[in-house]
Structure formats: C-alpha cells, structure tokens
Amino acid sequence: MLYKMYINGEWHKGNGEEQNVVSPVNGEVIGQIPLGTAEDVDLAVKAADASKHLIENMTVFERAEILNQIADAVSKRQQELAELLTREHGKPITEALGEVATTAQAFREAGEQIKWMNSEIIPTRDKNKRAFAYRRPKGVYGVISPWNFPLGSASTYYIAPGLAAGNAIVWVPATSTSAVASEFMKCVEETDLPKGILNLVIGRGPVAGDALVVHERTSAIGFTGSTKTGEIIHSRAGAKSVLLELGGNGPTIVFEDADIEHAATSLVDASFVNAGQICTSTERVLVHESVADGFAEALMERIENIKLGDPFDETTVMGPVHNANTAETVADHVKDAVIKGAKVLSKTCGQEWPTEMYVEPVIVDYVTKEMKLNTEETFGPIIPIVRYKDKDELIELIESSPYRLSSAVFSRNTEKALKFAESLKFGFVHINEASNYWETQIPAGGTAGSASGYGRSGGRASIEEMSEVCTVILSMTGENKDE
Ligand code: NAP
C-alpha cells in the first residue's frame, strides 16, 4: 500500500521516488511512501497561500466546530491509527492508543481555547484615540515534526493550535513516521476544513523540509527535532518567524533529603515510556553521594517490572526503539561511560529479538562529568546516575550540558526544592515528579540561548506563538472628538 501525500484536498503520489516503510517491530515491509520533492512542497504551499483567507475569515466558533470534527474523526479511528502507529514506530499499543487520544484532545482543546481568547483594548494617553489589539494568524505555517510522537506532538504543538489561530498549514512529518501521518489526513478529509488549509507533504527533511523552510510564501516555521537540525532550519529561515523545540538532557536532581523510594518509583515509571525517546526524559540523574547507593538499589528493584517485548502485547511496557541510530547511540554512550569507569548495573536477559531495535532498559552508575551520558542527549531507555558531593559540584554538573529544556528536583523540603527550581534556568522544572510529566495545556520549551531552542508550545502558548498581534488605532474626529 502506498501512503500518499494530501495536497489541496487531493491525494498525491508526488514527483519523486518511493521508499519502503519497514516496521521496527519485526522488520516487515508494511507499505511504501512517496519521497516528495521541492515541486510537491511548492504545490502545497501555493495551495495553502491561495486558501488561507478561508480560515482567516472564519469566526473562531466556526474554526472550533471544524476542530471538533477532526477530533471526532480521529477518535472514531483510534484503534486503526494506534495499530499503524505501533507498527510503524514500535511503541507499545497501550501508548499508541494514548497518543491517538491525546491527538483528538489537542483539537478539542485548541477549539475551546481559541473561543475564549479575547482581544485587547489598550489604554491611550490621548482621550481621542482608541487602540485595539487583535490576534491574527501568521499566514502559511510550515510544520516539521519528529518521529517520537508522530501524531501527538505535531497536533498538540502545531496543527491544532495553528488551525485554531487561523493559519493555513503545510506539514512535513519525519520520513519514518509518514504512513501514520497520511492515515491521519483521512480524518481531516472527512471534515468541513476547506481544501488547501492543511496539506501533508511526505519527503526527506533535507529535501522537502528544507524546501518548506526556504519557500517564499511560508511566513513561519514550527520545528520540533534535534538541535543540529534546528540550527540548520534557523539559518535557512532568514527573517521568518521560527519556533524551535529542540533536544533535552534533563537533569533530574535527587537531594540528600529526598524520598528515595518515591524518586526511584517516579523515575522508573517515567524513564522507559516511549523507550526513553522523549526530549524531556530523565536522561541523567544527579544524586547526592550520601543517598546514591540506596537510590541505585531502589532503581534496580523496580527495573525488573520493565517488560521489553512485542509492542502489540498489552502487558509489554517497552517495545523496540524506533531506529537503528537510536540503538547505536545508546550502545555508544554506554560504551563511552564504561571505558571511562562507569558501571552498568542492569543485567541483559540474553533473549533473541526479531530486530536490533529491541534495546533493554539500562541503569549506569558512577557516570561522571566528561562522559557522553552526562553531556549529550541519549534519547533511549537509560538512567545514568551521576554522584555529586556538594552544591558547587552539582552546579558544575548541571552546567556541563548545553541543554535547558526540562529538569526535576526531588526533596522532602519543598521550600528548598522550590528555591532551587527557581534558580534553574530551564524551560520547566518539576518538583518530586519526573522531568517528562506534561499535560497538553502546560507551556513547554527550551531556554533561549541554550541547545534546547526557544518559544513555548502547549495550549494557549502555542496559539500565541502561532499568531501575532495587529493593533488598530482609531482617531475620533468632528463632533465625536472631546476637546
Ligand atoms: P531530527 O533528525 O532533527 O528530525 C526532525 C525532523 O526534521 C524530521 O522530520 C526530519 O526529516 C527533519 N529534517 C532533517 N533535516 C532537515 C533539514 N535540513 N531541513 C528541514 N528539515 C529537516 O530529529 P529526530 O531524530 O526526528 O527527533 C528527535 C529529536 O527531537 C531529539 O533531539 C528530541 O529531543 C527532539 N524533540 C524535541 C521535543 C521538544 O518539545 N523540545 C519534542 C520531541 C522531540 P527526516 O525524518 O527525513 O530526517
């Protein structure tokens, strides 16, 4: 089966070659995707540009109605979409069902949110002036999304809020999760969304994604992905509005007065969700040396519950990682740590797996500052323990990684934890909760100037990022003018 692009309300095979979609679950070919070219992007952007007035001129209530239709269509196909998501991505079916439910929720919530975002009247010094600030769409929005939450992140961060704000969108998803993106567009096709408002171009990032970034008629780009690609996009986008949601590397900090059992339970529950392929995942745990042994033991007791296996089995906690690159990065980071003196605590079960993408959950102790596990993003199923002795060393460790996305602090002294959280220059900080806890209405994003990008996504924050303020100033004249 060929999973097609959707441009101007029609299904396209594109102008390029085709590529097999290979499942990480068992190596099976589950279909083909077209590899779109700059010409396909041009077609989609021009369609979006020609239709953008249709959504811009809708009332927010009309937009909300259409967003609800998309949500209904997604909910109706929840099982079908989740099965394809698991097959194409590798995540457990239980998580895939959750991701599809979140996708539907994203459209409902954006529809709700936009209805209650009032415009402003700005007070003026001159009593004969009236200044009104209206929120208006940015125009044609280019969206480039990653493979880790192919539907959830694209919808929550960009597509749902972008449509709510009145933009026309051209979406280039990660090549390796384009089949499920194409199936999602069947839900959109069923609704009253006018043709050309939401377009899907399937193709490789450096080809189709790049063509979208540089196209003269895209006015804004929303990108979620790696820091390296984010930097390329930033330099290619020129003066366009760019929202960059990039990588992360924790940290999670466990103070000497933390509830160790609670911290261990939270981290084991959270670190292996989506096989650790989450930008806000635990990545590295900085533990005070006085409690590190007990903490490591508590993690080890719990890791046995992380069942790796067939993602279609509902009792499986972790399926395969998405691609060979991720499996290699985990192996490389562990090897680097072991060569430099770290100790792998977890045992491998020695089972034979259908593909090389089945990576067992790993706990590594005695990780130090210079190791890749501390400085780089691993993006896999791993909990590295870095022991620190005092506050100075803790700060040095925090600063030894360039990422500033999400972090977590565990302490029984919540005032102390709050004060420390306030001093951390991260996009968001969790207290007594794992760093990847998130609800779709909570603003998420990196600290400007760091490797984690800038801008905020989630709920109202996304709508604000995907729109801009237009101010109209009216001058009273004649008999309406006050002297
Ligand atoms: P990636 O390699 O940067 O790819 C992301 C997207 O960019 C893909 O669609 C990719 O296309 C495309 N792309 C690649 N090169 C491009 C170029 N030159 N121009 C335009 N587009 C280009 O990242 P990934 O491996 O898919 O995703 C994992 C990364 O995303 C991690 O670093 C993770 O932390 C980050 N992430 C961040 C957040 C957040 O909210 N901050 C959320 C999720 C993930 P192809 O698929 O064809 O390569």
Side-chain angles (χ1 to χ4, degrees), residues 144-148 157 172-176 203-206 209-210 213 223-227 229 232-233 245-248 279 377 379 405:
I144 302 174
S145 57
W147 47 260
N148 66 336
Y157 280 14
V172 178
T175 313
S176 60
R204 294 201 174 109
D210 185 66
V213 173
F223 171 75
T224 299
S226 64
T227 305
T229 309
I232 296 172
I233 288 176
E245 296 285 2
L246 310 180
C279 51
E377 182 184 41
F379 215 57
L405 184 59

PDB file of all heavy atoms in Angstrom, residues 144-148 157 172-176 203-206 209-210 213 223-227 229 232-233 245-248 279 377 379 405, ligand 1:
ATOM      1  N   ILE A 144       7.394  21.088  10.702  1.00  0.00           N
ATOM      2  CA  ILE A 144       8.303  19.934  10.514  1.00  0.00           C
ATOM      3  C   ILE A 144       8.384  19.224  11.853  1.00  0.00           C
ATOM      4  O   ILE A 144       8.777  19.824  12.861  1.00  0.00           O
ATOM      5  CB  ILE A 144       9.701  20.408  10.051  1.00  0.00           C
ATOM      6  CG1 ILE A 144       9.575  21.203   8.746  1.00  0.00           C
ATOM      7  CG2 ILE A 144      10.637  19.214   9.870  1.00  0.00           C
ATOM      8  CD1 ILE A 144      10.871  21.848   8.272  1.00  0.00           C
ATOM      9  N   SER A 145       7.977  17.956  11.873  1.00  0.00           N
ATOM     10  CA  SER A 145       7.830  17.278  13.166  1.00  0.00           C
ATOM     11  C   SER A 145       8.694  16.018  13.252  1.00  0.00           C
ATOM     12  O   SER A 145       9.071  15.445  12.232  1.00  0.00           O
ATOM     13  CB  SER A 145       6.351  16.940  13.390  1.00  0.00           C
ATOM     14  OG  SER A 145       5.866  16.153  12.329  1.00  0.00           O
ATOM     15  N   PRO A 146       8.998  15.560  14.476  1.00  0.00           N
ATOM     16  CA  PRO A 146       9.867  14.392  14.673  1.00  0.00           C
ATOM     17  C   PRO A 146       9.069  13.091  14.726  1.00  0.00           C
ATOM     18  O   PRO A 146       7.836  13.100  14.701  1.00  0.00           O
ATOM     19  CB  PRO A 146      10.492  14.681  16.030  1.00  0.00           C
ATOM     20  CG  PRO A 146       9.402  15.370  16.782  1.00  0.00           C
ATOM     21  CD  PRO A 146       8.590  16.138  15.775  1.00  0.00           C
ATOM     22  N   TRP A 147       9.802  11.981  14.865  1.00  0.00           N
ATOM     23  CA  TRP A 147       9.147  10.677  14.833  1.00  0.00           C
ATOM     24  C   TRP A 147       8.741  10.174  16.214  1.00  0.00           C
ATOM     25  O   TRP A 147       8.058   9.168  16.319  1.00  0.00           O
ATOM     26  CB  TRP A 147      10.066   9.634  14.168  1.00  0.00           C
ATOM     27  CG  TRP A 147      11.484   9.649  14.679  1.00  0.00           C
ATOM     28  CD1 TRP A 147      12.559  10.229  14.068  1.00  0.00           C
ATOM     29  CD2 TRP A 147      11.985   9.080  15.902  1.00  0.00           C
ATOM     30  NE1 TRP A 147      13.691  10.058  14.836  1.00  0.00           N
ATOM     31  CE2 TRP A 147      13.377   9.355  15.965  1.00  0.00           C
ATOM     32  CE3 TRP A 147      11.400   8.358  16.948  1.00  0.00           C
ATOM     33  CZ2 TRP A 147      14.181   8.943  17.033  1.00  0.00           C
ATOM     34  CZ3 TRP A 147      12.203   7.951  18.016  1.00  0.00           C
ATOM     35  CH2 TRP A 147      13.569   8.235  18.054  1.00  0.00           C
ATOM     36  N   ASN A 148       9.160  10.825  17.290  1.00  0.00           N
ATOM     37  CA  ASN A 148       8.934  10.180  18.601  1.00  0.00           C
ATOM     38  C   ASN A 148       7.465  10.180  19.035  1.00  0.00           C
ATOM     39  O   ASN A 148       6.997   9.215  19.628  1.00  0.00           O
ATOM     40  CB  ASN A 148       9.866  10.760  19.671  1.00  0.00           C
ATOM     41  CG  ASN A 148       9.604  12.202  19.985  1.00  0.00           C
ATOM     42  OD1 ASN A 148       9.057  12.929  19.162  1.00  0.00           O
ATOM     43  ND2 ASN A 148      10.001  12.635  21.154  1.00  0.00           N
ATOM     44  N   TYR A 157       1.393  20.549  19.425  1.00  0.00           N
ATOM     45  CA  TYR A 157       2.255  21.732  19.335  1.00  0.00           C
ATOM     46  C   TYR A 157       1.814  22.664  18.209  1.00  0.00           C
ATOM     47  O   TYR A 157       1.882  23.874  18.355  1.00  0.00           O
ATOM     48  CB  TYR A 157       3.701  21.306  19.047  1.00  0.00           C
ATOM     49  CG  TYR A 157       4.501  20.822  20.231  1.00  0.00           C
ATOM     50  CD1 TYR A 157       3.894  20.498  21.439  1.00  0.00           C
ATOM     51  CD2 TYR A 157       5.876  20.678  20.144  1.00  0.00           C
ATOM     52  CE1 TYR A 157       4.643  20.048  22.511  1.00  0.00           C
ATOM     53  CE2 TYR A 157       6.631  20.236  21.224  1.00  0.00           C
ATOM     54  CZ  TYR A 157       6.013  19.924  22.407  1.00  0.00           C
ATOM     55  OH  TYR A 157       6.763  19.481  23.457  1.00  0.00           O
ATOM     56  N   VAL A 172       5.338  18.695   6.982  1.00  0.00           N
ATOM     57  CA  VAL A 172       6.287  17.665   6.533  1.00  0.00           C
ATOM     58  C   VAL A 172       6.668  16.852   7.778  1.00  0.00           C
ATOM     59  O   VAL A 172       7.455  17.319   8.607  1.00  0.00           O
ATOM     60  CB  VAL A 172       7.549  18.290   5.880  1.00  0.00           C
ATOM     61  CG1 VAL A 172       8.529  17.192   5.475  1.00  0.00           C
ATOM     62  CG2 VAL A 172       7.172  19.117   4.654  1.00  0.00           C
ATOM     63  N   PRO A 173       6.109  15.660   7.952  1.00  0.00           N
ATOM     64  CA  PRO A 173       6.443  14.862   9.140  1.00  0.00           C
ATOM     65  C   PRO A 173       7.769  14.147   8.946  1.00  0.00           C
ATOM     66  O   PRO A 173       8.312  14.123   7.833  1.00  0.00           O
ATOM     67  CB  PRO A 173       5.293  13.846   9.195  1.00  0.00           C
ATOM     68  CG  PRO A 173       4.877  13.679   7.775  1.00  0.00           C
ATOM     69  CD  PRO A 173       5.158  14.979   7.062  1.00  0.00           C
ATOM     70  N   ALA A 174       8.305  13.542  10.020  1.00  0.00           N
ATOM     71  CA  ALA A 174       9.527  12.746   9.889  1.00  0.00           C
ATOM     72  C   ALA A 174       9.266  11.657   8.846  1.00  0.00           C
ATOM     73  O   ALA A 174       8.184  11.041   8.832  1.00  0.00           O
ATOM     74  CB  ALA A 174       9.887  12.121  11.228  1.00  0.00           C
ATOM     75  N   THR A 175      10.234  11.413   7.992  1.00  0.00           N
ATOM     76  CA  THR A 175      10.042  10.437   6.910  1.00  0.00           C
ATOM     77  C   THR A 175       9.614   9.080   7.471  1.00  0.00           C
ATOM     78  O   THR A 175       8.729   8.423   6.920  1.00  0.00           O
ATOM     79  CB  THR A 175      11.368  10.247   6.139  1.00  0.00           C
ATOM     80  OG1 THR A 175      11.915  11.523   5.861  1.00  0.00           O
ATOM     81  CG2 THR A 175      11.163   9.510   4.839  1.00  0.00           C
ATOM     82  N   SER A 176      10.225   8.687   8.588  1.00  0.00           N
ATOM     83  CA  SER A 176      10.000   7.329   9.097  1.00  0.00           C
ATOM     84  C   SER A 176       8.663   7.144   9.814  1.00  0.00           C
ATOM     85  O   SER A 176       8.341   6.036  10.237  1.00  0.00           O
ATOM     86  CB  SER A 176      11.150   6.935  10.034  1.00  0.00           C
ATOM     87  OG  SER A 176      11.194   7.833  11.113  1.00  0.00           O
ATOM     88  N   GLY A 203       8.319  13.491   2.602  1.00  0.00           N
ATOM     89  CA  GLY A 203       9.618  13.574   1.928  1.00  0.00           C
ATOM     90  C   GLY A 203      10.731  13.749   2.935  1.00  0.00           C
ATOM     91  O   GLY A 203      10.475  14.051   4.105  1.00  0.00           O
ATOM     92  N   ARG A 204      11.945  13.583   2.486  1.00  0.00           N
ATOM     93  CA  ARG A 204      13.089  13.690   3.398  1.00  0.00           C
ATOM     94  C   ARG A 204      13.264  15.131   3.876  1.00  0.00           C
ATOM     95  O   ARG A 204      13.104  16.077   3.096  1.00  0.00           O
ATOM     96  CB  ARG A 204      14.360  13.219   2.707  1.00  0.00           C
ATOM     97  CG  ARG A 204      14.306  11.738   2.407  1.00  0.00           C
ATOM     98  CD  ARG A 204      15.702  11.142   2.212  1.00  0.00           C
ATOM     99  NE  ARG A 204      15.570   9.697   2.080  1.00  0.00           N
ATOM    100  CZ  ARG A 204      15.760   9.031   0.938  1.00  0.00           C
ATOM    101  NH1 ARG A 204      16.128   9.672  -0.143  1.00  0.00           N
ATOM    102  NH2 ARG A 204      15.596   7.715   0.899  1.00  0.00           N
ATOM    103  N   GLY A 205      13.662  15.246   5.149  1.00  0.00           N
ATOM    104  CA  GLY A 205      13.836  16.570   5.751  1.00  0.00           C
ATOM    105  C   GLY A 205      14.715  17.503   4.940  1.00  0.00           C
ATOM    106  O   GLY A 205      14.305  18.631   4.611  1.00  0.00           O
ATOM    107  N   PRO A 206      15.942  17.070   4.586  1.00  0.00           N
ATOM    108  CA  PRO A 206      16.817  17.989   3.863  1.00  0.00           C
ATOM    109  C   PRO A 206      16.296  18.367   2.473  1.00  0.00           C
ATOM    110  O   PRO A 206      16.792  19.317   1.864  1.00  0.00           O
ATOM    111  CB  PRO A 206      18.139  17.200   3.743  1.00  0.00           C
ATOM    112  CG  PRO A 206      18.083  16.204   4.861  1.00  0.00           C
ATOM    113  CD  PRO A 206      16.627  15.833   5.001  1.00  0.00           C
ATOM    114  N   GLY A 209      11.577  19.191   3.710  1.00  0.00           N
ATOM    115  CA  GLY A 209      11.580  20.101   4.863  1.00  0.00           C
ATOM    116  C   GLY A 209      12.290  21.394   4.518  1.00  0.00           C
ATOM    117  O   GLY A 209      11.791  22.492   4.783  1.00  0.00           O
ATOM    118  N   ASP A 210      13.437  21.255   3.895  1.00  0.00           N
ATOM    119  CA  ASP A 210      14.222  22.459   3.547  1.00  0.00           C
ATOM    120  C   ASP A 210      13.456  23.338   2.549  1.00  0.00           C
ATOM    121  O   ASP A 210      13.426  24.561   2.688  1.00  0.00           O
ATOM    122  CB  ASP A 210      15.579  22.042   2.961  1.00  0.00           C
ATOM    123  CG  ASP A 210      16.461  23.245   2.706  1.00  0.00           C
ATOM    124  OD1 ASP A 210      16.865  23.898   3.683  1.00  0.00           O
ATOM    125  OD2 ASP A 210      16.705  23.568   1.522  1.00  0.00           O
ATOM    126  N   VAL A 213      11.034  25.374   4.397  1.00  0.00           N
ATOM    127  CA  VAL A 213      11.648  26.454   5.187  1.00  0.00           C
ATOM    128  C   VAL A 213      12.000  27.651   4.304  1.00  0.00           C
ATOM    129  O   VAL A 213      11.790  28.798   4.682  1.00  0.00           O
ATOM    130  CB  VAL A 213      12.915  25.926   5.919  1.00  0.00           C
ATOM    131  CG1 VAL A 213      13.658  27.060   6.613  1.00  0.00           C
ATOM    132  CG2 VAL A 213      12.536  24.846   6.937  1.00  0.00           C
ATOM    133  N   PHE A 223       9.154  23.980  14.288  1.00  0.00           N
ATOM    134  CA  PHE A 223      10.017  22.794  14.166  1.00  0.00           C
ATOM    135  C   PHE A 223      10.230  22.142  15.511  1.00  0.00           C
ATOM    136  O   PHE A 223      10.587  22.795  16.493  1.00  0.00           O
ATOM    137  CB  PHE A 223      11.382  23.189  13.578  1.00  0.00           C
ATOM    138  CG  PHE A 223      12.373  22.057  13.633  1.00  0.00           C
ATOM    139  CD1 PHE A 223      12.275  20.986  12.753  1.00  0.00           C
ATOM    140  CD2 PHE A 223      13.392  22.036  14.584  1.00  0.00           C
ATOM    141  CE1 PHE A 223      13.176  19.925  12.820  1.00  0.00           C
ATOM    142  CE2 PHE A 223      14.298  20.983  14.649  1.00  0.00           C
ATOM    143  CZ  PHE A 223      14.185  19.930  13.762  1.00  0.00           C
ATOM    144  N   THR A 224      10.059  20.827  15.566  1.00  0.00           N
ATOM    145  CA  THR A 224      10.462  20.045  16.730  1.00  0.00           C
ATOM    146  C   THR A 224      11.396  18.960  16.236  1.00  0.00           C
ATOM    147  O   THR A 224      11.068  18.225  15.303  1.00  0.00           O
ATOM    148  CB  THR A 224       9.238  19.399  17.429  1.00  0.00           C
ATOM    149  OG1 THR A 224       8.379  20.438  17.853  1.00  0.00           O
ATOM    150  CG2 THR A 224       9.655  18.604  18.651  1.00  0.00           C
ATOM    151  N   GLY A 225      12.556  18.877  16.863  1.00  0.00           N
ATOM    152  CA  GLY A 225      13.530  17.865  16.454  1.00  0.00           C
ATOM    153  C   GLY A 225      14.861  18.121  17.128  1.00  0.00           C
ATOM    154  O   GLY A 225      14.925  18.772  18.180  1.00  0.00           O
ATOM    155  N   SER A 226      15.916  17.654  16.508  1.00  0.00           N
ATOM    156  CA  SER A 226      17.228  17.736  17.150  1.00  0.00           C
ATOM    157  C   SER A 226      17.809  19.154  17.075  1.00  0.00           C
ATOM    158  O   SER A 226      17.417  19.957  16.209  1.00  0.00           O
ATOM    159  CB  SER A 226      18.190  16.765  16.467  1.00  0.00           C
ATOM    160  OG  SER A 226      18.382  17.168  15.135  1.00  0.00           O
ATOM    161  N   THR A 227      18.749  19.408  17.925  1.00  0.00           N
ATOM    162  CA  THR A 227      19.407  20.721  17.964  1.00  0.00           C
ATOM    163  C   THR A 227      20.131  20.987  16.647  1.00  0.00           C
ATOM    164  O   THR A 227      20.074  22.093  16.093  1.00  0.00           O
ATOM    165  CB  THR A 227      20.393  20.753  19.144  1.00  0.00           C
ATOM    166  OG1 THR A 227      19.664  20.405  20.325  1.00  0.00           O
ATOM    167  CG2 THR A 227      21.018  22.120  19.325  1.00  0.00           C
ATOM    168  N   THR A 229      19.498  19.888  13.589  1.00  0.00           N
ATOM    169  CA  THR A 229      18.579  20.280  12.509  1.00  0.00           C
ATOM    170  C   THR A 229      17.972  21.649  12.806  1.00  0.00           C
ATOM    171  O   THR A 229      17.785  22.461  11.890  1.00  0.00           O
ATOM    172  CB  THR A 229      17.465  19.230  12.334  1.00  0.00           C
ATOM    173  OG1 THR A 229      18.061  17.945  12.224  1.00  0.00           O
ATOM    174  CG2 THR A 229      16.627  19.495  11.114  1.00  0.00           C
ATOM    175  N   ILE A 232      20.176  24.310  11.585  1.00  0.00           N
ATOM    176  CA  ILE A 232      20.136  24.444  10.113  1.00  0.00           C
ATOM    177  C   ILE A 232      18.881  25.222   9.714  1.00  0.00           C
ATOM    178  O   ILE A 232      18.932  26.170   8.923  1.00  0.00           O
ATOM    179  CB  ILE A 232      20.142  23.052   9.424  1.00  0.00           C
ATOM    180  CG1 ILE A 232      21.448  22.312   9.719  1.00  0.00           C
ATOM    181  CG2 ILE A 232      19.920  23.184   7.922  1.00  0.00           C
ATOM    182  CD1 ILE A 232      21.476  20.862   9.251  1.00  0.00           C
ATOM    183  N   ILE A 233      17.753  24.836  10.299  1.00  0.00           N
ATOM    184  CA  ILE A 233      16.486  25.487   9.944  1.00  0.00           C
ATOM    185  C   ILE A 233      16.531  26.970  10.297  1.00  0.00           C
ATOM    186  O   ILE A 233      16.111  27.830   9.513  1.00  0.00           O
ATOM    187  CB  ILE A 233      15.306  24.752  10.624  1.00  0.00           C
ATOM    188  CG1 ILE A 233      15.109  23.416   9.915  1.00  0.00           C
ATOM    189  CG2 ILE A 233      14.032  25.604  10.628  1.00  0.00           C
ATOM    190  CD1 ILE A 233      14.066  22.518  10.482  1.00  0.00           C
ATOM    191  N   GLU A 245      11.595  23.758  18.990  1.00  0.00           N
ATOM    192  CA  GLU A 245      11.519  22.869  20.156  1.00  0.00           C
ATOM    193  C   GLU A 245      12.563  21.791  19.943  1.00  0.00           C
ATOM    194  O   GLU A 245      12.370  20.892  19.121  1.00  0.00           O
ATOM    195  CB  GLU A 245      10.124  22.230  20.242  1.00  0.00           C
ATOM    196  CG  GLU A 245       8.991  23.206  20.483  1.00  0.00           C
ATOM    197  CD  GLU A 245       8.916  23.713  21.909  1.00  0.00           C
ATOM    198  OE1 GLU A 245       9.777  23.337  22.732  1.00  0.00           O
ATOM    199  OE2 GLU A 245       8.016  24.509  22.192  1.00  0.00           O
ATOM    200  N   LEU A 246      13.678  21.884  20.657  1.00  0.00           N
ATOM    201  CA  LEU A 246      14.812  21.001  20.343  1.00  0.00           C
ATOM    202  C   LEU A 246      15.080  19.975  21.451  1.00  0.00           C
ATOM    203  O   LEU A 246      14.184  19.641  22.213  1.00  0.00           O
ATOM    204  CB  LEU A 246      16.038  21.865  20.038  1.00  0.00           C
ATOM    205  CG  LEU A 246      15.788  22.995  19.017  1.00  0.00           C
ATOM    206  CD1 LEU A 246      17.046  23.811  18.777  1.00  0.00           C
ATOM    207  CD2 LEU A 246      15.251  22.450  17.699  1.00  0.00           C
ATOM    208  N   GLY A 247      16.302  19.518  21.510  1.00  0.00           N
ATOM    209  CA  GLY A 247      16.620  18.394  22.402  1.00  0.00           C
ATOM    210  C   GLY A 247      16.695  18.760  23.876  1.00  0.00           C
ATOM    211  O   GLY A 247      16.609  19.927  24.259  1.00  0.00           O
ATOM    212  N   GLY A 248      16.859  17.728  24.696  1.00  0.00           N
ATOM    213  CA  GLY A 248      16.981  17.924  26.140  1.00  0.00           C
ATOM    214  C   GLY A 248      17.840  16.828  26.753  1.00  0.00           C
ATOM    215  O   GLY A 248      18.057  15.781  26.146  1.00  0.00           O
ATOM    216  N   CYS A 279      12.051  14.102  24.550  1.00  0.00           N
ATOM    217  CA  CYS A 279      13.021  15.194  24.772  1.00  0.00           C
ATOM    218  C   CYS A 279      13.136  15.566  26.237  1.00  0.00           C
ATOM    219  O   CYS A 279      14.157  16.081  26.665  1.00  0.00           O
ATOM    220  CB  CYS A 279      12.593  16.411  23.962  1.00  0.00           C
ATOM    221  SG  CYS A 279      10.881  16.858  24.239  1.00  0.00           S
ATOM    222  N   GLU A 377      22.564  14.186  24.590  1.00  0.00           N
ATOM    223  CA  GLU A 377      21.230  13.584  24.691  1.00  0.00           C
ATOM    224  C   GLU A 377      21.316  12.148  24.169  1.00  0.00           C
ATOM    225  O   GLU A 377      21.772  11.930  23.046  1.00  0.00           O
ATOM    226  CB  GLU A 377      20.253  14.396  23.838  1.00  0.00           C
ATOM    227  CG  GLU A 377      18.838  13.898  23.910  1.00  0.00           C
ATOM    228  CD  GLU A 377      17.902  14.663  22.978  1.00  0.00           C
ATOM    229  OE1 GLU A 377      18.302  14.971  21.840  1.00  0.00           O
ATOM    230  OE2 GLU A 377      16.764  14.913  23.385  1.00  0.00           O
ATOM    231  N   PHE A 379      18.515   9.861  24.317  1.00  0.00           N
ATOM    232  CA  PHE A 379      17.216   9.638  23.674  1.00  0.00           C
ATOM    233  C   PHE A 379      16.896   8.142  23.591  1.00  0.00           C
ATOM    234  O   PHE A 379      16.440   7.644  22.561  1.00  0.00           O
ATOM    235  CB  PHE A 379      17.230  10.257  22.271  1.00  0.00           C
ATOM    236  CG  PHE A 379      15.903  10.834  21.848  1.00  0.00           C
ATOM    237  CD1 PHE A 379      15.269  11.805  22.601  1.00  0.00           C
ATOM    238  CD2 PHE A 379      15.273  10.413  20.682  1.00  0.00           C
ATOM    239  CE1 PHE A 379      14.067  12.350  22.223  1.00  0.00           C
ATOM    240  CE2 PHE A 379      14.054  10.944  20.280  1.00  0.00           C
ATOM    241  CZ  PHE A 379      13.460  11.920  21.063  1.00  0.00           C
ATOM    242  N   LEU A 405      16.009  22.243  28.765  1.00  0.00           N
ATOM    243  CA  LEU A 405      14.589  22.022  28.448  1.00  0.00           C
ATOM    244  C   LEU A 405      13.793  21.754  29.720  1.00  0.00           C
ATOM    245  O   LEU A 405      13.152  22.623  30.269  1.00  0.00           O
ATOM    246  CB  LEU A 405      14.463  20.879  27.437  1.00  0.00           C
ATOM    247  CG  LEU A 405      13.071  20.577  26.911  1.00  0.00           C
ATOM    248  CD1 LEU A 405      12.458  21.785  26.222  1.00  0.00           C
ATOM    249  CD2 LEU A 405      13.099  19.395  25.941  1.00  0.00           C
TER     250      LEU A 405
HETATM  251  P1  NAP B   1      15.733  15.345  13.537  1.00  0.00           P
HETATM  252  O1  NAP B   1      16.664  14.380  12.949  1.00  0.00           O
HETATM  253  O2  NAP B   1      16.204  16.729  13.779  1.00  0.00           O
HETATM  254  O3  NAP B   1      14.454  15.356  12.593  1.00  0.00           O
HETATM  255  C1  NAP B   1      13.322  16.132  12.886  1.00  0.00           C
HETATM  256  C2  NAP B   1      12.624  16.497  11.604  1.00  0.00           C
HETATM  257  O4  NAP B   1      13.434  17.381  10.846  1.00  0.00           O
HETATM  258  C3  NAP B   1      12.357  15.302  10.697  1.00  0.00           C
HETATM  259  O5  NAP B   1      11.119  15.488  10.079  1.00  0.00           O
HETATM  260  C4  NAP B   1      13.491  15.390   9.690  1.00  0.00           C
HETATM  261  O6  NAP B   1      13.232  14.745   8.473  1.00  0.00           O
HETATM  262  C5  NAP B   1      13.570  16.894   9.525  1.00  0.00           C
HETATM  263  N1  NAP B   1      14.823  17.389   8.952  1.00  0.00           N
HETATM  264  C6  NAP B   1      16.038  16.799   8.959  1.00  0.00           C
HETATM  265  N2  NAP B   1      16.941  17.591   8.325  1.00  0.00           N
HETATM  266  C7  NAP B   1      16.282  18.682   7.887  1.00  0.00           C
HETATM  267  C8  NAP B   1      16.648  19.864   7.170  1.00  0.00           C
HETATM  268  N3  NAP B   1      17.896  20.075   6.760  1.00  0.00           N
HETATM  269  N4  NAP B   1      15.706  20.780   6.899  1.00  0.00           N
HETATM  270  C9  NAP B   1      14.436  20.607   7.314  1.00  0.00           C
HETATM  271  N5  NAP B   1      14.012  19.505   7.985  1.00  0.00           N
HETATM  272  C10 NAP B   1      14.929  18.567   8.293  1.00  0.00           C
HETATM  273  O7  NAP B   1      15.173  14.836  14.933  1.00  0.00           O
HETATM  274  P2  NAP B   1      14.516  13.409  15.236  1.00  0.00           P
HETATM  275  O8  NAP B   1      15.614  12.445  15.381  1.00  0.00           O
HETATM  276  O9  NAP B   1      13.419  13.125  14.297  1.00  0.00           O
HETATM  277  O10 NAP B   1      13.831  13.699  16.649  1.00  0.00           O
HETATM  278  C11 NAP B   1      14.492  13.535  17.838  1.00  0.00           C
HETATM  279  C12 NAP B   1      14.926  14.890  18.377  1.00  0.00           C
HETATM  280  O11 NAP B   1      13.798  15.725  18.564  1.00  0.00           O
HETATM  281  C13 NAP B   1      15.557  14.770  19.742  1.00  0.00           C
HETATM  282  O12 NAP B   1      16.689  15.601  19.816  1.00  0.00           O
HETATM  283  C14 NAP B   1      14.477  15.277  20.682  1.00  0.00           C
HETATM  284  O13 NAP B   1      14.942  15.776  21.892  1.00  0.00           O
HETATM  285  C15 NAP B   1      13.811  16.315  19.859  1.00  0.00           C
HETATM  286  N6  NAP B   1      12.454  16.561  20.335  1.00  0.00           N
HETATM  287  C16 NAP B   1      12.190  17.718  20.997  1.00  0.00           C
HETATM  288  C17 NAP B   1      10.913  17.962  21.506  1.00  0.00           C
HETATM  289  C18 NAP B   1      10.603  19.243  22.248  1.00  0.00           C
HETATM  290  O14 NAP B   1       9.437  19.508  22.526  1.00  0.00           O
HETATM  291  N7  NAP B   1      11.576  20.054  22.581  1.00  0.00           N
HETATM  292  C19 NAP B   1       9.902  17.007  21.329  1.00  0.00           C
HETATM  293  C20 NAP B   1      10.206  15.837  20.644  1.00  0.00           C
HETATM  294  C21 NAP B   1      11.491  15.619  20.148  1.00  0.00           C
HETATM  295  P3  NAP B   1      13.687  13.203   8.250  1.00  0.00           P
HETATM  296  O15 NAP B   1      12.751  12.389   9.043  1.00  0.00           O
HETATM  297  O16 NAP B   1      13.560  12.997   6.786  1.00  0.00           O
HETATM  298  O17 NAP B   1      15.105  13.093   8.736  1.00  0.00           O
END
